Amino acid sequence: MGFELKSLIGKKVGQASNLFPNIGFNNRALSLLLTFTMLSLPSFAQKNSTKMNDKKIVIYQLLPRLFGNKNNTNIPYGTIEQNGSGKFNDITDKALDGLKELHVNYVWYTGALAHASLTDYSKYGIKVDDADVVKGRAGSPYAVRDYYDVDPDLAVDVKNRMKEFEALVKRTHKKDLKVIIDFIPNHVARSYHSYAKPKNVIDFGEKDDVTKTFSVQNDFYYIPGQKFLVPQHEPKKTPISALQDGLFDENPAKATGNNVFAAQPKYEDWYETIKLNYGVDYQNGEKQYFDPIPPVWTKMRDILIFWAKKDVDGFRCDMAEMVPIAFWNWVIPQVKAVNADIIFIGEAYNPEVYRQYLTEGKFDYLYDKVGLYDGLKKLIRNEPTADVASIKYVWQKESAGFGDHMLRFLENHDEERIASAGFAGKPELALPAMVVSATLGAGPVMIYFGQEVGEQGRGAEGYGGDDNRTTIFDYWGIPSHQKWMNNGLFDGQKLNDAQQNLRAYYQQLLKVTTQSDAVLHGEIYEVPHTGNMNNRMYAFIRYTGKQRLLIVVNFDRAQTLEANIEIPDEILKVKSSSPVTDLLTDIKLNIPAGMSIPVKLSPVSAQVIEF
């Protein structure tokens, strides 16, 4: 969500079988008979399901502020003048071509909306924000200051910032890529005021009765008779301490974004935000008042339609579960009436309500974080409790029947960088997990800018601290990404061999998944643990009448997986045999097409075998 949820131009893969000699593309055969447990992945019929040109959706998430920044000064808490900022205009045709090389088809421009920051744009009629309620120098993209505006940091000509954003959308579309932006429905910045709103739009809170703790007609929740008090925390002198006087003026105090109904939230709370009122009285048993429609609903609908009419193709909806399902049920069809192909992705963390948010809430896709991501992270890190049973549980139990509507990922702005010291240390350790994320279901797979070249997220940038993440709160240059960017050439010439190879791996994997009929439409059959397979090894088959794939992953850091995998008649008879090929290397395995496939898979490696 963007708050502290601390819970490669590469070598052609097909030209070399030793891109990663230490993690094993070894196809020598040994004989070990495996039997299969046949478990079909149920279909999940949903009217609002969207697939782009009948291809698997691949999302590339980037923050324009960081993506295009060529400055590598990187002073902690540095200003925009010191550390620089990427612009919409930095996302050039060459940059977009680089994304297309990865077989990306959607780009999520994170932080495009105007949000609270400490950079002074007062000469453009934008009031300076108060440092007491801004996190970092650049501020959180999830503390929106104006829903109808884009962030001035991202414009070369601030007065024409919206035109620069619109040009980016057109540029993206010309490359046959689609555009996703954030929709943050649960909260706004404490400084919220729309300078760019269309005529006749009433700002949030403008007509509120501030004497009432809760009113269905109010946009915010209030603590009448009490002033807002800046959170107390252990003093830590920073370059912005001089700007923080603890006297932010808000009277009466408004409830804080993470459902804190107190005049003084804690420092760990989302204290820089205000909770929006969708007609739920949280302090009285969460009683709901949805008839008549609360004002916030119509205001949010109009905001979504405003952006849909600017040709945005999708919304990643921040903390979707903190907003009533009834609202999503009401608003999503109205937005899709403007553009039937627009997609809604919900940031969600409660598996108990996934199905409800997809059916009743009408979302197209939900995050698969508390499920596949969490299980894969343990396997990547080689934790004692790691077990591939977590993969099995996700598709057979947790998201059974709607797995094709789950968005899979290994990195995003909230999570630790794979290559960081606190996560895996080496990006190659996550490649088996990436193969699973990309092939287990037909739903979208997402990568975070820099992931494909092993960005480490190293350093204490400012508010974000040295937390193994790439900061979203500060102005900063991203070292590994800047090597690929190569001062705007976007040719990867500054990447080292390992980074080139890593990017090539992602490129080939995503090529396979976007062109695979079996991944997009196929049934799934599980290979049970048999022979020398242990709880760090997993195999499954995806198949249709057009294609059959055997996906084998080995997370074990020491043991080689050796097996002669017998293919059941039920799978063999659905199509004629193809030359047995490891699609991740484009190497023909010289194995006779037939009843079994011999594999030998080195530690921390994967194969996607077409047969």
Side-chain angles (χ1 to χ4, degrees):
M1 56 169 288
F3 298 98
E4 312 86 298
L5 288 178
K6 297 182 181 168
S7 355
L8 308 153
I9 307 294
K11 300 175 182 175
K12 291 184 179 179
V13 179
Q15 293 178 343
S17 62
N18 61 343
L19 282 176
F20 295 101
N22 295 324
I23 60 172
F25 288 123
N26 191 331
N27 303 303
R28 291 172 295 173
L30 284 180
S31 177
L32 178 65
L33 185 62
L34 297 180
T35 57
F36 287 75
T37 300
M38 300 185 181
L39 293 163
S40 177
L41 179 67
S43 62
F44 181 69
Q46 186 175 346
K47 292 181 180 179
N48 64 331
S49 174
T50 302
K51 292 186 177 72
M52 179 185 173
N53 300 324
D54 205 33
K55 287 185 178 180
K56 185 179 179 73
I57 290 176
V58 179
I59 300 170
Y60 190 91
Q61 182 193 5
L62 65 88
L63 279 75
R65 184 210 300 157
L66 303 177
F67 182 87
N69 188 17
K70 305 175 186 69
N71 190 319
N72 58 9
T73 305
N74 286 359
I75 299 171
Y77 285 97
T79 65
I80 193 171
E81 292 80 13
Q82 292 171 320
N83 286 351
S85 175
K87 310 294 182 183
F88 293 132
N89 288 359
D90 290 323
I91 306 169
T92 62
D93 286 337
K94 286 185 178 180
L96 295 170
D97 285 339
L99 304 191
K100 286 180 69 67
E101 287 175 353
L102 292 170
H103 301 276
V104 166
N105 41 44
Y106 277 76
V107 187
W108 169 13
Y109 293 120
T110 304
L113 298 183
H115 55 269
S117 82
L118 299 185
T119 301
D120 186 353
Y121 290 103
S122 56
K123 67 180 179 180
Y124 300 100
I126 300 170
K127 186 179 177 181
V128 179
D129 286 301
D130 191 309
D132 287 317
V133 288
V134 176
K135 291 180 176 177
R137 180 83 69 175
S140 168
Y142 295 92
V144 176
R145 179 171 60 190
D146 188 344
Y147 278 119
Y148 286 102
D149 202 359
V150 293
D151 193 57
D153 283 347
L154 307 180
V156 174
D157 180 357
V158 174
K159 287 186 289 187
N160 288 311
R161 56 192 180 275
M162 186 61 79
K163 289 182 179 179
E164 292 185 21
F165 172 75
E166 292 167 346
L168 173 61
V169 173
K170 290 179 181 178
R171 196 158 59 245
T172 307
H173 286 161
K174 283 182 179 178
K175 292 295 182 180
D176 198 26
L177 297 166
K178 293 185 179 287
V179 173
I180 295 172
I181 65 169
D182 293 284
F183 175 55
I184 301 95
N186 177 67
H187 47 263
V188 295
R190 290 203 178 267
S191 61
Y192 188 90
H193 177 78
S194 179
Y195 298 95
K197 66 181 184 292
K199 291 181 180 179
N200 303 321
V201 169
I202 299 170
D203 238 348
F204 289 98
E206 192 174 321
K207 293 188 174 183
D208 280 8
D209 183 348
V210 301
T211 67
K212 294 182 178 180
T213 301
F214 168 81
S215 168
V216 71
Q217 294 301 315
N218 282 353
D219 295 332
F220 301 128
Y221 299 91
Y222 294 89
I223 299 96
Q226 298 183 57
K227 293 182 179 181
F228 173 80
L229 298 175
V230 175
Q232 296 293 310
H233 65 285
E234 185 177 339
K236 179 183 177 183
K237 193 167 182 61
T238 73
I240 63 174
S241 294
L243 303 175
Q244 299 170 322
D245 59 11
L247 300 177
F248 177 70
D249 185 17
E250 181 180 287
N251 189 11
K254 301 179 182 75
T256 296
N258 58 324
N259 294 0
V260 173
F261 294 84
Q264 186 175 41
K266 296 178 181 178
Y267 190 69
E268 296 76 25
D269 289 324
W270 308 343
Y271 64 82
E272 82 278 34
T273 69
I274 309 166
K275 174 77 175 180
L276 286 166
N277 174 13
Y278 282 81
V280 179
D281 189 354
Y282 287 95
Q283 294 179 291
N284 288 289
E286 298 190 18
K287 190 173 181 180
Q288 299 175 342
Y289 299 87
F290 298 161
D291 186 13
I293 295 298
V296 164
W297 288 32
T298 56
K299 289 176 180 177
M300 285 303 195
R301 176 200 61 194
D302 294 346
I303 288 163
L304 285 164
I305 290 175
F306 172 85
W307 291 105
K309 288 183 175 179
K310 289 191 177 294
D311 293 331
V312 165
D313 304 291
F315 297 99
R316 178 270 189 188
C317 301
D318 188 71
M319 298 305 294
E321 293 166 309
M322 295 186 76
V323 172
I325 291 178
F327 166 73
W328 299 115
N329 175 275
W330 176 85
V331 78
I332 289 177
Q334 295 185 67
V335 180
K336 291 201 174 195
V338 176
N339 176 2
D341 294 327
I342 212 159
I343 64 172
F344 280 80
I345 301 169
E347 180 190 18
Y349 298 106
N350 181 6
E352 297 298 320
V353 296
Y354 285 171
R355 185 183 292 273
Q356 190 177 5
Y357 271 82
L358 289 167
T359 54
E360 186 180 341
K362 300 186 183 298
F363 274 92
D364 295 290
Y365 306 105
L366 299 177
Y367 269 36
D368 197 346
K369 196 276 181 190
V370 183
L372 192 64
Y373 171 88
D374 284 350
L376 290 175
K377 185 172 185 178
K378 290 180 180 180
L379 287 161
I380 295 166
R381 287 167 50 85
N382 199 33
E383 295 181 11
T385 60
D387 196 313
V388 294
S390 62
I391 302 172
K392 175 180 179 178
Y393 179 79
V394 165
W395 70 266
Q396 292 185 17
K397 300 290 184 181
E398 186 174 272
S399 58
F402 56 86
D404 291 351
H405 296 269
M406 302 305 292
L407 166 66
R408 271 70 190 250
F409 58 85
L410 295 182
E411 283 192 2
N412 63 41
H413 64 280
D414 280 322
E415 307 301 340
E416 294 178 306
R417 289 286 193 177
I418 294 164
S420 69
F423 190 155
K426 296 180 180 179
E428 292 83 6
L429 292 173
L431 294 180
M434 192 65 211
V435 170
V436 173
S437 295
T439 61
L440 190 64
V445 63
M446 182 172 74
I447 58 175
Y448 186 39
F449 83 109
Q451 175 182 344
E452 74 278 18
V453 292
E455 173 55 37
Q456 296 176 312
R458 181 185 296 167
E461 310 100 334
Y463 182 85
D466 195 357
D467 62 355
N468 305 310
R469 295 166 174 82
T470 291
T471 180
I472 64 169
F473 306 100
D474 309 283
Y475 300 109
W476 205 252
I478 311 304
S480 296
H481 168 71
Q482 288 178 329
K483 289 181 180 180
W484 172 71
M485 183 167 55
N486 192 15
N487 202 37
L489 296 177
F490 297 97
D491 60 5
Q493 290 302 305
K494 293 185 178 181
L495 297 173
N496 61 34
D497 287 348
Q499 291 171 317
Q500 295 269 8
N501 291 343
L502 182 66
R503 193 174 196 274
Y505 190 102
Y506 274 88
Q507 183 175 336
Q508 184 70 4
L509 171 62
L510 295 174
K511 175 185 176 182
V512 169
T513 55
T514 54
Q515 296 179 0
S516 170
D517 187 72
V519 170
L520 190 64
H521 301 296
E523 304 283 355
I524 181 169
Y525 283 74
E526 182 183 64
V527 178
H529 291 187
T530 309
N532 85 326
M533 291 181 73
N534 60 34
N535 66 353
R536 307 299 170 97
M537 303 169 180
Y538 196 68
F540 57 97
I541 295 174
R542 300 296 310 274
Y543 74 97
T544 66
K546 296 179 180 179
Q547 187 183 43
R548 297 182 304 225
L549 297 179
L550 169 64
I551 296 101
V552 189
V553 291
N554 183 7
F555 293 94
D556 197 298
R557 296 193 181 185
Q559 183 170 321
T560 295
L561 186 162
E562 301 179 71
N564 191 54
I565 298 176
E566 186 174 301
I567 310 301
D569 287 340
E570 287 82 355
I571 294 175
L572 286 173
K573 69 183 181 182
V574 298
K575 70 176 291 294
S576 59
S577 297
S578 302
V580 182
T581 306
D582 180 355
L583 296 182
L584 295 181
T585 59
D586 281 337
I587 293 175
K588 300 292 188 293
L589 300 185
N590 296 318
I591 299 168
M595 296 295 291
S596 65
I597 297 176
V599 297
K600 183 174 182 180
L601 201 57
S602 298
V604 194
S605 62
Q607 286 185 304
V608 178
I609 300 172
E610 185 174 31
F611 63 96

